Structures are given as structure tokens and as C-alpha cells.
Amino acid sequence: MEESRKKFAELAAMTMAEASDFPFLTDPAGREHPLAGPVTAIGRSVENDVVITSQRVWRDHARSGRRNRRITLEDAGNTNGTFLNGEQTGEPVDPADGDRIAVGGASFVFRDPETALRDSSAVEREFGRPSGIARVDRRAVSLSPREFLPLAYR
């Protein structure tokens, strides 16, 4: 409890300019939740850094870790899941600017102020041969095996 208060006091002392340097989650109401600490706890418990008041959210639902500028999101092993762009996360994932994160029905958009804008309008494509999953700009695309095979082996 004392550690939570100390962490809250540190974040409250941060100026708005300092807070805007960190990646953050934006909720549907437009509030920004900075991912400033080495670990940001997400859940229903008031001790969390991002508190979500929903019965579908577990007390300790997910956490975000930060090492230098790299952010990792991981589910805390609950049954309602944590989702990145509509897909349930089984392993820790690295969200990119603009990714949609859902935690027990609550949705957020991940924002990273230091992400450089793309100079090109090229589409990012990924074909997971072992898994059979195709992604366009990090979002899963549903393809039949007949559609997937010619694209994956180019």
C-alpha cells in the first residue's frame, strides 16, 4: 500500500510535459493513462495504476512493462483475457502506436509520442507460415487456406 502511494506521488509530481514524453493509453473518454513506471498495473483494484471499474476486469488483470523506450503488455493469467487488435494475448506483446487494447471489455488506444510518422504509404504485411495467420498493418486478416498459401510463399 505504501509503495502504491509513493508511486502515485511520483506520478502526480510529474509535469504535464514530462508525462507527455511517455507512451500512454487513451480510454474512450479521451483520458490519457501514462505508462511511465517500470511496471504499470491494470485492473479493478484501486492499487492499480490504471483502474477499470468493471466486473469483467480482474483485480490484477494485466500489466505493462517498460525498458527504456520499449513497452510490453502482458495478461496476468485471467479468464476474461487481454486483447491486442482483437486478438487475445497469450504471450507478452509489444504494442505499436495506434494499436487497440481491450482489457475485460474496456478499450484503449496505445499511443507512443516518439513514434516517427511513416514516410511511405506502403502497407506492412506479415504471413505466419506455421500459424497460418496473415496480418496487414499488425491486424489479423481472415484468409482461407487457398488464399493464404500463394501469399505466404512469395
Side-chain angles (χ1 to χ4, degrees):
M1 187 72 150
E2 182 62 33
E3 187 176 319
S4 294
R5 287 183 187 162
K6 184 178 178 182
K7 194 181 334 178
F8 180 77
E10 289 172 4
L11 287 174
M14 204 183 294
T15 66
M16 291 302 283
E18 288 172 319
S20 67
D21 290 343
F22 290 105
F24 58 92
L25 298 175
T26 302
D27 63 24
R31 290 183 300 257
E32 295 177 358
H33 306 274
L35 305 175
V39 175
T40 300
I42 303 168
R44 192 175 72 229
S45 174
V46 294
E47 286 86 25
N48 287 302
D49 302 300
V50 179
V51 178
I52 304 168
T53 56
S54 167
Q55 292 301 316
R56 293 182 58 200
V57 176
W58 286 49
R59 289 181 181 275
D60 300 309
H61 198 101
R63 66 188 65 84
S64 172
R66 181 172 63 85
R67 271 202 177 136
N68 299 325
R69 290 295 306 160
R70 185 172 164 251
I71 296 291
T72 301
L73 176 71
E74 101 179 89
D75 187 79
N78 57 75
T79 57
N80 291 343
T82 301
F83 295 81
L84 178 70
N85 295 325
E87 289 183 52
Q88 189 164 0
T89 61
E91 300 286 322
V93 293
D94 299 335
D97 187 55
D99 280 351
R100 292 172 291 115
I101 296 171
V103 177
S107 61
F108 299 90
V109 175
F110 176 78
R111 292 292 177 201
D112 188 352
E114 286 198 4
T115 301
L117 296 174
R118 292 185 188 181
D119 292 336
S120 142
S121 60
V123 176
E124 180 184 329
R125 295 174 296 214
E126 175 188 342
F127 301 101
R129 289 186 182 108
S131 64
I133 296 174
R135 297 181 196 284
V136 176
D137 288 335
R138 296 177 50 96
R139 288 177 173 73
V141 176
S142 178
L143 296 175
S144 71
R146 181 175 239 159
E147 296 168 321
F148 179 81
L149 282 174
L151 297 171
Y153 291 101
R154 285 186 153 191

